Amino acid sequence: CSGKNRRAVLAGVGVTLCFTLTGNNMIVSFMDVLLAGAGANALWGSLGYATAQVVAALVMAGGVAERFGRRDLMRLSAALSSACLIGLGLCARASASAAAGGAFIAIGMAFICAVTLGLSTLCWVYCAEVMPMAVRGKAMGLANLCFWVVTFCTVDSFPSLAVSIGEPNVFFRYAALGAVA
């Protein structure tokens, strides 16, 4: 892509990668394993997580982005999701108990709300808006490709990372990536 379009394409692809690097898709993929490891009821945890995501999406559909601004919401979303990932890491570090399991469910619900209230719902809108019309189709294709390659890598690497550095440290690393985002 030409020099005049390069910055916009990098911004769009970068925003989608910020969302991917929160570890959201890894958490969704390994939800049952993570909940069981924290001593939480997998059924209630999964239902709570899904419900929180739907509620947050409905809030976004109510015009929150227009009221508060896309960039500010994406920044807030990245910061809050990072804080929640630290909480999930601390829960994963605690022994599996009913208290840790309940905290893991609550923080997981807060995490998905934080991600849905910004990064997951707005990254694609922002990406499409910043892409110049002349390269929008190819640039959105590039953003999608990068998103799914990084998603595959985060999901595929979780089991080996959890064994090698420990599950809590995986959450802490995603928290750091979210903070950088």
Side-chain angles (χ1 to χ4, degrees):
C1 103
S2 69
K4 70 178 183 172
N5 295 330
R6 189 171 295 132
R7 185 171 179 207
V9 171
L10 287 175
V13 170
V15 167
T16 60
L17 292 178
C18 287
F19 164 48
T20 308
L21 292 173
T22 62
N24 177 63
N25 292 320
M26 176 273 300
I27 291 171
V28 171
S29 297
F30 289 98
M31 178 63 68
D32 290 346
V33 173
L34 296 170
L35 288 165
N41 182 303
L43 174 64
W44 289 111
S46 295
L47 286 172
Y49 194 86
T51 302
Q53 186 171 24
V54 168
V55 169
L58 289 172
V59 168
M60 286 302 292
V64 170
E66 285 75 25
R67 253 179 267 143
F68 296 103
R70 290 180 176 89
R71 270 198 228 175
D72 290 340
L73 280 175
M74 287 191 293
R75 287 180 182 142
L76 179 64
S77 175
L80 291 175
S81 64
S82 292
C84 291
L85 286 164
I86 291 169
L88 290 173
L90 293 173
C91 286
R93 195 177 269 173
S95 61
S97 65
F104 192 92
I105 291 172
I107 295 169
M109 290 170 65
F111 170 78
I112 194 60
C113 284
V115 169
T116 303
L117 286 173
L119 289 174
S120 74
T121 52
L122 295 176
C123 76
W124 297 107
V125 174
Y126 181 82
C127 185
E129 288 177 345
V130 300
M131 300 293 186
M133 193 60 90
V135 296
R136 184 170 292 161
K138 290 179 183 178
M140 289 298 291
L142 175 64
N144 265 292
L145 175 67
C146 292
F147 174 84
W148 286 111
V149 166
V150 173
T151 293
F152 173 80
C153 292
T154 60
V155 171
D156 188 56
S157 66
F158 175 73
S160 58
L161 280 173
V163 169
S164 65
I165 66 171
E167 192 177 291
N169 291 325
V170 174
F171 286 117
F172 297 145
R173 290 192 182 201
Y174 282 118
L177 290 169
V180 170

